[in-house]
Amino acid sequence: MTRYTGLIERYRKRLPVTANTRLISLGEGNTPLIQLHNIPKLIGKDVTIYVKFEGLNPTGSFKDRGMTMAVTKAVEAGSQAIICASTGNTSASAAAYAVRAGIKAFVLIPEGKIALGKLAQTLMYDAKIIQINGNFDRGMALVKEVAELAPVTIVNSINPYRIEGQKTAAFEIIDELGYPPDFHCLPVGNAGNITAYWKGYKEYSTYSQGQDAVCRGRPVMCGYQAAGAAPFVQGAMVDNPETIATAIRIGHPQSWDLAWTAQQESGGWFDKFTDEQILAAQKMLSQHEGVFCEPASATSLAGALHDISTGKIPEGSVIVCTLTGNGIKDPEIAMQQCADAKPVTIDASLDQVKKAILDSL
Ligand code: AN7
């Protein structure tokens, strides 16, 4: 039996590494593709929905796929420090891979707009955290400028190695299903991930282009955004993005052109959903399937359910929704979501415990 050591090792032939490259890995990738059993019944539709649970990566988000590659290449090039702007997950991931490599991580985050778990992680991984009184987009602009003046490698998804690492999620899906799904749904912020999946599907598809729709070998890419941060739906950058899903509180996506290419080439679309719809999808997934993702991640399911209900995604389809991050990242939202479900407090006696059980059966 070969031990699973990480996605670079697994897809080495399709990634820019040599036999001499020192791999910086935490065993990322190889995440579960979970078929939803209860939600399709609940909505009464004949659809096959899988969730790719990226929240089970080492730092709890899909960013680890890109970060193993980006930090590996930064170290190979002799870099001593990496930098990113982040809504939270990139900073946690960058920080972890930097300590793993023995280099320094600087992260710019919007003050007060990072989920608690992400901040806690980033602190624990000992990154140099620079909070700014501005949003992600401002932080990203500053990172690009400062990287011209200081010896730091940018590890946001404008770093092409991030996309290389992240494309392996599409490889895993095809390897596991034996074919690509008909539709691939995912949340869109900077649009690095939709770009990466599309690249992965194109590189890995077993069928040639131009076959009929059912057997074309590539999914239709569906990119979903939060209503208050939906530049792809509006067709223009958004200056003051707002959403409870702080991970995708982004108004100036960095992979603008590449995401439009993914949409056009795949025959896909962008759409937007309200915070209420996003939170409802997050809760539904937890309460009916036992899968707890963070709010931004649930945007993929909110979108898929909407497009299934309208028939835009037809019955008979195989759908994959990427769940980009773990629900534990954002405990504050989770507690708010369950404000009505107060735990009962009782005396520590057998009688009381028995009563509590019988009362709620
Ligand atoms: C959970 O961490 O941009 O469209 O700085 O954390 O590839 O940007 C996070 C993005 C979706 C959007 N879901 O992905 C950051 C950051 C979660 C995320 C996205 C993010 P992209």
mmCIF file of all heavy atoms in Angstrom, residues 60-63 84-92 118 136 156-157 162-163 166 186-195 225 232 246-248 250 255 294-297 323-326, ligand 1:
data_model
loop_
_atom_site.group_PDB
_atom_site.id
_atom_site.type_symbol
_atom_site.label_atom_id
_atom_site.label_comp_id
_atom_site.label_asym_id
_atom_site.label_seq_id
_atom_site.Cartn_x
_atom_site.Cartn_y
_atom_site.Cartn_z
ATOM 1 N N GLY A 60 -8.467 23.252 6.552
ATOM 2 C CA GLY A 60 -9.921 23.386 6.510
ATOM 3 C C GLY A 60 -10.502 24.095 5.308
ATOM 4 O O GLY A 60 -11.673 24.458 5.320
ATOM 5 N N SER A 61 -9.693 24.289 4.255
ATOM 6 C CA SER A 61 -10.268 24.863 3.030
ATOM 7 C C SER A 61 -9.508 24.396 1.797
ATOM 8 O O SER A 61 -8.415 23.846 1.886
ATOM 9 C CB SER A 61 -10.273 26.399 3.071
ATOM 10 O OG SER A 61 -9.044 26.931 2.598
ATOM 11 N N PHE A 62 -10.122 24.667 0.640
ATOM 12 C CA PHE A 62 -9.525 24.291 -0.649
ATOM 13 C C PHE A 62 -8.223 25.013 -0.937
ATOM 14 O O PHE A 62 -7.472 24.607 -1.835
ATOM 15 C CB PHE A 62 -10.514 24.581 -1.788
ATOM 16 C CG PHE A 62 -10.670 26.052 -2.115
ATOM 17 C CD1 PHE A 62 -10.006 26.616 -3.194
ATOM 18 C CD2 PHE A 62 -11.480 26.872 -1.349
ATOM 19 C CE1 PHE A 62 -10.130 27.964 -3.501
ATOM 20 C CE2 PHE A 62 -11.615 28.227 -1.637
ATOM 21 C CZ PHE A 62 -10.940 28.774 -2.717
ATOM 22 N N LYS A 63 -7.955 26.081 -0.195
ATOM 23 C CA LYS A 63 -6.747 26.877 -0.468
ATOM 24 C C LYS A 63 -5.480 26.031 -0.339
ATOM 25 O O LYS A 63 -4.475 26.325 -0.981
ATOM 26 C CB LYS A 63 -6.666 28.050 0.498
ATOM 27 C CG LYS A 63 -7.875 28.954 0.510
ATOM 28 C CD LYS A 63 -7.946 29.821 -0.719
ATOM 29 C CE LYS A 63 -9.170 30.738 -0.642
ATOM 30 N NZ LYS A 63 -9.315 31.581 -1.836
ATOM 31 N N CYS A 84 0.144 37.491 1.324
ATOM 32 C CA CYS A 84 -1.164 37.452 0.665
ATOM 33 C C CYS A 84 -2.096 38.458 1.311
ATOM 34 O O CYS A 84 -1.897 38.850 2.456
ATOM 35 C CB CYS A 84 -1.776 36.054 0.748
ATOM 36 S SG CYS A 84 -2.221 35.538 2.424
ATOM 37 N N ALA A 85 -3.105 38.857 0.534
ATOM 38 C CA ALA A 85 -4.279 39.514 1.112
ATOM 39 C C ALA A 85 -5.292 38.405 1.268
ATOM 40 O O ALA A 85 -5.263 37.433 0.512
ATOM 41 C CB ALA A 85 -4.794 40.588 0.173
ATOM 42 N N SER A 86 -6.186 38.541 2.239
ATOM 43 C CA SER A 86 -7.086 37.415 2.434
ATOM 44 C C SER A 86 -8.371 37.778 3.153
ATOM 45 O O SER A 86 -8.389 38.649 4.020
ATOM 46 C CB SER A 86 -6.360 36.308 3.207
ATOM 47 O OG SER A 86 -7.224 35.208 3.415
ATOM 48 N N THR A 87 -9.426 37.048 2.785
ATOM 49 C CA THR A 87 -10.679 37.111 3.550
ATOM 50 C C THR A 87 -10.653 36.052 4.654
ATOM 51 O O THR A 87 -11.660 35.827 5.306
ATOM 52 C CB THR A 87 -11.890 36.906 2.626
ATOM 53 O OG1 THR A 87 -11.761 35.649 1.950
ATOM 54 C CG2 THR A 87 -12.001 38.026 1.592
ATOM 55 N N GLY A 88 -9.525 35.359 4.819
ATOM 56 C CA GLY A 88 -9.371 34.456 5.953
ATOM 57 C C GLY A 88 -8.769 33.094 5.638
ATOM 58 O O GLY A 88 -7.842 32.662 6.306
ATOM 59 N N ASN A 89 -9.288 32.434 4.639
ATOM 60 C CA ASN A 89 -8.803 31.078 4.375
ATOM 61 C C ASN A 89 -7.418 31.056 3.740
ATOM 62 O O ASN A 89 -6.587 30.207 4.087
ATOM 63 C CB ASN A 89 -9.796 30.320 3.490
ATOM 64 C CG ASN A 89 -10.963 29.780 4.288
ATOM 65 O OD1 ASN A 89 -10.797 29.376 5.443
ATOM 66 N ND2 ASN A 89 -12.148 29.772 3.698
ATOM 67 N N THR A 90 -7.159 31.979 2.832
ATOM 68 C CA THR A 90 -5.834 32.019 2.221
ATOM 69 C C THR A 90 -4.779 32.332 3.276
ATOM 70 O O THR A 90 -3.684 31.749 3.262
ATOM 71 C CB THR A 90 -5.782 33.072 1.093
ATOM 72 O OG1 THR A 90 -6.784 32.746 0.128
ATOM 73 C CG2 THR A 90 -4.425 33.094 0.410
ATOM 74 N N SER A 91 -5.119 33.214 4.205
ATOM 75 C CA SER A 91 -4.135 33.582 5.228
ATOM 76 C C SER A 91 -3.812 32.381 6.124
ATOM 77 O O SER A 91 -2.643 32.137 6.442
ATOM 78 C CB SER A 91 -4.620 34.771 6.059
ATOM 79 O OG SER A 91 -5.810 34.485 6.734
ATOM 80 N N ALA A 92 -4.840 31.615 6.505
ATOM 81 C CA ALA A 92 -4.601 30.435 7.341
ATOM 82 C C ALA A 92 -3.728 29.431 6.601
ATOM 83 O O ALA A 92 -2.773 28.876 7.158
ATOM 84 C CB ALA A 92 -5.928 29.791 7.736
ATOM 85 N N LYS A 118 -10.725 31.338 11.452
ATOM 86 C CA LYS A 118 -9.635 31.631 10.509
ATOM 87 C C LYS A 118 -8.580 32.515 11.156
ATOM 88 O O LYS A 118 -7.378 32.329 10.945
ATOM 89 C CB LYS A 118 -10.205 32.320 9.258
ATOM 90 C CG LYS A 118 -11.252 31.465 8.547
ATOM 91 C CD LYS A 118 -11.916 32.200 7.392
ATOM 92 C CE LYS A 118 -13.105 31.383 6.887
ATOM 93 N NZ LYS A 118 -13.825 32.069 5.800
ATOM 94 N N PHE A 136 -10.935 43.404 1.371
ATOM 95 C CA PHE A 136 -10.000 42.516 0.691
ATOM 96 C C PHE A 136 -9.411 43.163 -0.560
ATOM 97 O O PHE A 136 -8.193 43.063 -0.812
ATOM 98 C CB PHE A 136 -10.687 41.196 0.284
ATOM 99 C CG PHE A 136 -9.838 40.392 -0.654
ATOM 100 C CD1 PHE A 136 -8.861 39.531 -0.179
ATOM 101 C CD2 PHE A 136 -9.962 40.544 -2.037
ATOM 102 C CE1 PHE A 136 -8.036 38.839 -1.049
ATOM 103 C CE2 PHE A 136 -9.138 39.852 -2.917
ATOM 104 C CZ PHE A 136 -8.171 38.990 -2.417
ATOM 105 N N ASN A 156 -1.395 34.763 -3.399
ATOM 106 C CA ASN A 156 -2.810 34.819 -3.791
ATOM 107 C C ASN A 156 -2.957 34.075 -5.113
ATOM 108 O O ASN A 156 -1.954 33.687 -5.734
ATOM 109 C CB ASN A 156 -3.263 36.275 -3.941
ATOM 110 C CG ASN A 156 -3.528 36.922 -2.592
ATOM 111 O OD1 ASN A 156 -2.685 37.660 -2.073
ATOM 112 N ND2 ASN A 156 -4.682 36.630 -2.012
ATOM 113 N N SER A 157 -4.204 33.900 -5.568
ATOM 114 C CA SER A 157 -4.397 33.068 -6.756
ATOM 115 C C SER A 157 -3.957 33.737 -8.063
ATOM 116 O O SER A 157 -4.054 33.135 -9.128
ATOM 117 C CB SER A 157 -5.843 32.581 -6.848
ATOM 118 O OG SER A 157 -6.738 33.675 -6.811
ATOM 119 N N ARG A 162 -0.824 28.527 -7.748
ATOM 120 C CA ARG A 162 -2.049 28.276 -6.970
ATOM 121 C C ARG A 162 -3.077 27.554 -7.857
ATOM 122 O O ARG A 162 -3.701 26.567 -7.461
ATOM 123 C CB ARG A 162 -2.625 29.604 -6.452
ATOM 124 C CG ARG A 162 -1.964 30.171 -5.195
ATOM 125 C CD ARG A 162 -2.532 29.517 -3.941
ATOM 126 N NE ARG A 162 -3.995 29.532 -3.949
ATOM 127 C CZ ARG A 162 -4.759 30.549 -3.565
ATOM 128 N NH1 ARG A 162 -4.218 31.643 -3.078
ATOM 129 N NH2 ARG A 162 -6.081 30.471 -3.637
ATOM 130 N N ILE A 163 -3.236 28.047 -9.058
ATOM 131 C CA ILE A 163 -4.215 27.459 -9.989
ATOM 132 C C ILE A 163 -3.788 26.024 -10.340
ATOM 133 O O ILE A 163 -4.625 25.122 -10.411
ATOM 134 C CB ILE A 163 -4.311 28.321 -11.282
ATOM 135 C CG1 ILE A 163 -4.650 29.783 -10.934
ATOM 136 C CG2 ILE A 163 -5.314 27.718 -12.266
ATOM 137 C CD1 ILE A 163 -5.971 30.007 -10.250
ATOM 138 N N GLN A 166 -4.757 23.790 -7.473
ATOM 139 C CA GLN A 166 -6.209 23.679 -7.293
ATOM 140 C C GLN A 166 -6.894 22.891 -8.404
ATOM 141 O O GLN A 166 -7.962 22.327 -8.194
ATOM 142 C CB GLN A 166 -6.823 25.083 -7.127
ATOM 143 C CG GLN A 166 -6.532 25.660 -5.742
ATOM 144 C CD GLN A 166 -6.924 27.125 -5.574
ATOM 145 O OE1 GLN A 166 -6.196 27.863 -4.914
ATOM 146 N NE2 GLN A 166 -8.025 27.555 -6.149
ATOM 147 N N LEU A 186 -19.922 26.135 -7.996
ATOM 148 C CA LEU A 186 -19.033 26.586 -6.919
ATOM 149 C C LEU A 186 -19.192 28.057 -6.611
ATOM 150 O O LEU A 186 -19.665 28.823 -7.451
ATOM 151 C CB LEU A 186 -17.574 26.185 -7.176
ATOM 152 C CG LEU A 186 -16.704 26.789 -8.244
ATOM 153 C CD1 LEU A 186 -15.308 26.223 -8.176
ATOM 154 C CD2 LEU A 186 -17.296 26.533 -9.594
ATOM 155 N N PRO A 187 -18.832 28.411 -5.354
ATOM 156 C CA PRO A 187 -18.890 29.823 -4.985
ATOM 157 C C PRO A 187 -17.766 30.574 -5.682
ATOM 158 O O PRO A 187 -16.688 30.012 -5.895
ATOM 159 C CB PRO A 187 -18.672 29.813 -3.472
ATOM 160 C CG PRO A 187 -17.982 28.540 -3.173
ATOM 161 C CD PRO A 187 -18.357 27.569 -4.244
ATOM 162 N N VAL A 188 -18.012 31.826 -6.027
ATOM 163 C CA VAL A 188 -16.999 32.614 -6.728
ATOM 164 C C VAL A 188 -16.707 33.902 -5.966
ATOM 165 O O VAL A 188 -17.610 34.665 -5.645
ATOM 166 C CB VAL A 188 -17.461 32.947 -8.163
ATOM 167 C CG1 VAL A 188 -16.502 33.929 -8.827
ATOM 168 C CG2 VAL A 188 -17.575 31.679 -8.994
ATOM 169 N N GLY A 189 -15.424 34.097 -5.676
ATOM 170 C CA GLY A 189 -14.964 35.330 -5.054
ATOM 171 C C GLY A 189 -13.968 35.985 -5.995
ATOM 172 O O GLY A 189 -14.322 36.748 -6.894
ATOM 173 N N ASN A 190 -12.691 35.614 -5.841
ATOM 174 C CA ASN A 190 -11.673 36.084 -6.790
ATOM 175 C C ASN A 190 -11.704 35.326 -8.105
ATOM 176 O O ASN A 190 -11.025 35.686 -9.050
ATOM 177 C CB ASN A 190 -10.286 35.937 -6.164
ATOM 178 C CG ASN A 190 -9.912 37.167 -5.391
ATOM 179 O OD1 ASN A 190 -9.941 38.270 -5.925
ATOM 180 N ND2 ASN A 190 -9.585 36.996 -4.128
ATOM 181 N N ALA A 191 -12.420 34.209 -8.104
ATOM 182 C CA ALA A 191 -12.606 33.378 -9.290
ATOM 183 C C ALA A 191 -11.388 32.539 -9.653
ATOM 184 O O ALA A 191 -11.302 32.000 -10.759
ATOM 185 C CB ALA A 191 -13.073 34.201 -10.491
ATOM 186 N N GLY A 192 -10.465 32.397 -8.716
ATOM 187 C CA GLY A 192 -9.326 31.513 -8.941
ATOM 188 C C GLY A 192 -9.761 30.055 -9.014
ATOM 189 O O GLY A 192 -9.278 29.286 -9.852
ATOM 190 N N ASN A 193 -10.707 29.699 -8.165
ATOM 191 C CA ASN A 193 -11.084 28.287 -8.093
ATOM 192 C C ASN A 193 -11.862 27.836 -9.326
ATOM 193 O O ASN A 193 -11.604 26.760 -9.861
ATOM 194 C CB ASN A 193 -11.888 28.019 -6.817
ATOM 195 C CG ASN A 193 -11.608 26.654 -6.227
ATOM 196 O OD1 ASN A 193 -10.551 26.055 -6.484
ATOM 197 N ND2 ASN A 193 -12.541 26.148 -5.447
ATOM 198 N N ILE A 194 -12.776 28.648 -9.805
ATOM 199 C CA ILE A 194 -13.536 28.265 -11.005
ATOM 200 C C ILE A 194 -12.566 28.162 -12.196
ATOM 201 O O ILE A 194 -12.681 27.266 -13.032
ATOM 202 C CB ILE A 194 -14.713 29.239 -11.275
ATOM 203 C CG1 ILE A 194 -15.697 28.615 -12.284
ATOM 204 C CG2 ILE A 194 -14.253 30.613 -11.735
ATOM 205 C CD1 ILE A 194 -17.032 29.356 -12.399
ATOM 206 N N THR A 195 -11.594 29.036 -12.202
ATOM 207 C CA THR A 195 -10.553 29.006 -13.237
ATOM 208 C C THR A 195 -9.755 27.695 -13.149
ATOM 209 O O THR A 195 -9.483 27.045 -14.162
ATOM 210 C CB THR A 195 -9.595 30.210 -13.047
ATOM 211 O OG1 THR A 195 -10.347 31.413 -13.195
ATOM 212 C CG2 THR A 195 -8.454 30.191 -14.044
ATOM 213 N N GLN A 225 -22.444 33.718 -6.668
ATOM 214 C CA GLN A 225 -21.904 34.771 -5.816
ATOM 215 C C GLN A 225 -22.937 35.214 -4.782
ATOM 216 O O GLN A 225 -24.139 34.925 -4.919
ATOM 217 C CB GLN A 225 -21.511 35.980 -6.684
ATOM 218 C CG GLN A 225 -20.513 35.628 -7.777
ATOM 219 C CD GLN A 225 -19.664 36.807 -8.175
ATOM 220 O OE1 GLN A 225 -20.077 37.628 -8.970
ATOM 221 N NE2 GLN A 225 -18.446 36.883 -7.610
ATOM 222 N N PHE A 232 -19.603 39.407 -11.162
ATOM 223 C CA PHE A 232 -19.795 38.639 -12.397
ATOM 224 C C PHE A 232 -21.258 38.666 -12.858
ATOM 225 O O PHE A 232 -21.535 38.507 -14.040
ATOM 226 C CB PHE A 232 -19.320 37.191 -12.219
ATOM 227 C CG PHE A 232 -17.826 37.070 -12.229
ATOM 228 C CD1 PHE A 232 -17.127 36.867 -11.052
ATOM 229 C CD2 PHE A 232 -17.115 37.180 -13.418
ATOM 230 C CE1 PHE A 232 -15.740 36.767 -11.058
ATOM 231 C CE2 PHE A 232 -15.728 37.084 -13.441
ATOM 232 C CZ PHE A 232 -15.038 36.880 -12.245
ATOM 233 N N THR A 246 -18.259 36.127 4.635
ATOM 234 C CA THR A 246 -17.083 37.006 4.525
ATOM 235 C C THR A 246 -15.999 36.464 3.600
ATOM 236 O O THR A 246 -15.231 37.237 3.028
ATOM 237 C CB THR A 246 -16.474 37.274 5.926
ATOM 238 O OG1 THR A 246 -16.276 36.012 6.587
ATOM 239 C CG2 THR A 246 -17.385 38.156 6.756
ATOM 240 N N ALA A 247 -15.947 35.160 3.431
ATOM 241 C CA ALA A 247 -14.928 34.575 2.549
ATOM 242 C C ALA A 247 -15.036 35.099 1.126
ATOM 243 O O ALA A 247 -14.030 35.228 0.418
ATOM 244 C CB ALA A 247 -15.044 33.045 2.546
ATOM 245 N N ILE A 248 -16.257 35.409 0.705
ATOM 246 C CA ILE A 248 -16.460 35.870 -0.684
ATOM 247 C C ILE A 248 -16.931 37.328 -0.727
ATOM 248 O O ILE A 248 -17.630 37.750 -1.636
ATOM 249 C CB ILE A 248 -17.425 34.946 -1.470
ATOM 250 C CG1 ILE A 248 -18.725 34.691 -0.693
ATOM 251 C CG2 ILE A 248 -16.716 33.624 -1.794
ATOM 252 C CD1 ILE A 248 -19.781 33.932 -1.518
ATOM 253 N N ILE A 250 -15.863 40.031 -1.850
ATOM 254 C CA ILE A 250 -14.851 40.470 -2.815
ATOM 255 C C ILE A 250 -15.557 41.155 -3.987
ATOM 256 O O ILE A 250 -16.495 40.583 -4.551
ATOM 257 C CB ILE A 250 -14.036 39.247 -3.312
ATOM 258 C CG1 ILE A 250 -13.215 38.646 -2.150
ATOM 259 C CG2 ILE A 250 -13.123 39.633 -4.480
ATOM 260 C CD1 ILE A 250 -12.662 37.253 -2.421
ATOM 261 N N SER A 255 -9.245 37.012 -11.000
ATOM 262 C CA SER A 255 -9.236 36.173 -12.216
ATOM 263 C C SER A 255 -10.450 36.490 -13.095
ATOM 264 O O SER A 255 -11.159 35.595 -13.552
ATOM 265 C CB SER A 255 -9.219 34.690 -11.839
ATOM 266 O OG SER A 255 -8.018 34.366 -11.184
ATOM 267 N N GLU A 294 -18.749 26.117 5.661
ATOM 268 C CA GLU A 294 -18.885 27.517 6.048
ATOM 269 C C GLU A 294 -19.890 28.209 5.118
ATOM 270 O O GLU A 294 -20.203 27.675 4.041
ATOM 271 C CB GLU A 294 -17.524 28.207 6.064
ATOM 272 C CG GLU A 294 -16.854 28.393 4.719
ATOM 273 C CD GLU A 294 -15.628 29.301 4.844
ATOM 274 O OE1 GLU A 294 -15.825 30.520 4.938
ATOM 275 O OE2 GLU A 294 -14.494 28.797 4.838
ATOM 276 N N PRO A 295 -20.397 29.385 5.524
ATOM 277 C CA PRO A 295 -21.451 30.025 4.730
ATOM 278 C C PRO A 295 -21.101 30.190 3.245
ATOM 279 O O PRO A 295 -21.899 29.790 2.373
ATOM 280 C CB PRO A 295 -21.626 31.386 5.421
ATOM 281 C CG PRO A 295 -21.299 31.109 6.857
ATOM 282 C CD PRO A 295 -20.172 30.099 6.802
ATOM 283 N N ALA A 296 -19.938 30.749 2.936
ATOM 284 C CA ALA A 296 -19.580 30.987 1.529
ATOM 285 C C ALA A 296 -19.694 29.702 0.708
ATOM 286 O O ALA A 296 -20.170 29.711 -0.437
ATOM 287 C CB ALA A 296 -18.152 31.537 1.433
ATOM 288 N N SER A 297 -19.287 28.599 1.295
ATOM 289 C CA SER A 297 -19.293 27.318 0.588
ATOM 290 C C SER A 297 -20.702 26.890 0.202
ATOM 291 O O SER A 297 -20.920 26.274 -0.843
ATOM 292 C CB SER A 297 -18.660 26.238 1.461
ATOM 293 O OG SER A 297 -17.412 26.661 1.933
ATOM 294 N N LEU A 323 -17.689 22.330 -1.772
ATOM 295 C CA LEU A 323 -17.826 22.972 -0.463
ATOM 296 C C LEU A 323 -16.428 23.404 -0.064
ATOM 297 O O LEU A 323 -15.615 22.598 0.400
ATOM 298 C CB LEU A 323 -18.431 22.007 0.559
ATOM 299 C CG LEU A 323 -19.823 21.467 0.190
ATOM 300 C CD1 LEU A 323 -20.326 20.530 1.270
ATOM 301 C CD2 LEU A 323 -20.811 22.605 -0.047
ATOM 302 N N THR A 324 -16.148 24.680 -0.280
ATOM 303 C CA THR A 324 -14.787 25.199 -0.228
ATOM 304 C C THR A 324 -14.157 25.232 1.163
ATOM 305 O O THR A 324 -12.939 25.160 1.290
ATOM 306 C CB THR A 324 -14.790 26.617 -0.822
ATOM 307 O OG1 THR A 324 -15.950 27.306 -0.312
ATOM 308 C CG2 THR A 324 -14.877 26.587 -2.335
ATOM 309 N N GLY A 325 -14.986 25.367 2.214
ATOM 310 C CA GLY A 325 -14.400 25.503 3.552
ATOM 311 C C GLY A 325 -15.234 24.842 4.633
ATOM 312 O O GLY A 325 -16.433 24.593 4.465
ATOM 313 N N ASN A 326 -14.611 24.569 5.761
ATOM 314 C CA ASN A 326 -15.245 23.864 6.881
ATOM 315 C C ASN A 326 -16.131 24.799 7.715
ATOM 316 O O ASN A 326 -15.763 25.940 7.974
ATOM 317 C CB ASN A 326 -14.137 23.278 7.766
ATOM 318 C CG ASN A 326 -14.642 22.184 8.660
ATOM 319 O OD1 ASN A 326 -15.575 22.377 9.446
ATOM 320 N ND2 ASN A 326 -14.052 21.019 8.531
HETATM 321 C C1 AN7 B 1 -14.599 29.305 1.675
HETATM 322 O O1 AN7 B 1 -9.116 33.486 1.585
HETATM 323 O O2 AN7 B 1 -10.244 34.867 -1.323
HETATM 324 O O3 AN7 B 1 -13.300 32.404 -6.243
HETATM 325 O O4 AN7 B 1 -8.596 35.368 0.692
HETATM 326 O O5 AN7 B 1 -12.505 31.154 1.360
HETATM 327 O O6 AN7 B 1 -11.189 31.149 -5.847
HETATM 328 O O7 AN7 B 1 -11.594 33.333 -4.714
HETATM 329 C C2 AN7 B 1 -11.221 33.078 -0.157
HETATM 330 C C3 AN7 B 1 -12.086 32.657 -1.119
HETATM 331 C C4 AN7 B 1 -14.942 30.426 -1.787
HETATM 332 C C5 AN7 B 1 -13.821 31.985 -3.298
HETATM 333 N N1 AN7 B 1 -15.134 29.808 -0.625
HETATM 334 O O8 AN7 B 1 -12.838 31.333 -4.080
HETATM 335 C C6 AN7 B 1 -9.267 34.344 0.716
HETATM 336 C C7 AN7 B 1 -10.256 34.146 -0.346
HETATM 337 C C8 AN7 B 1 -14.330 30.048 0.425
HETATM 338 C C9 AN7 B 1 -13.286 30.954 0.297
HETATM 339 C C10 AN7 B 1 -13.939 31.340 -1.969
HETATM 340 C C11 AN7 B 1 -13.089 31.646 -0.910
HETATM 341 P P1 AN7 B 1 -12.195 32.082 -5.309
#
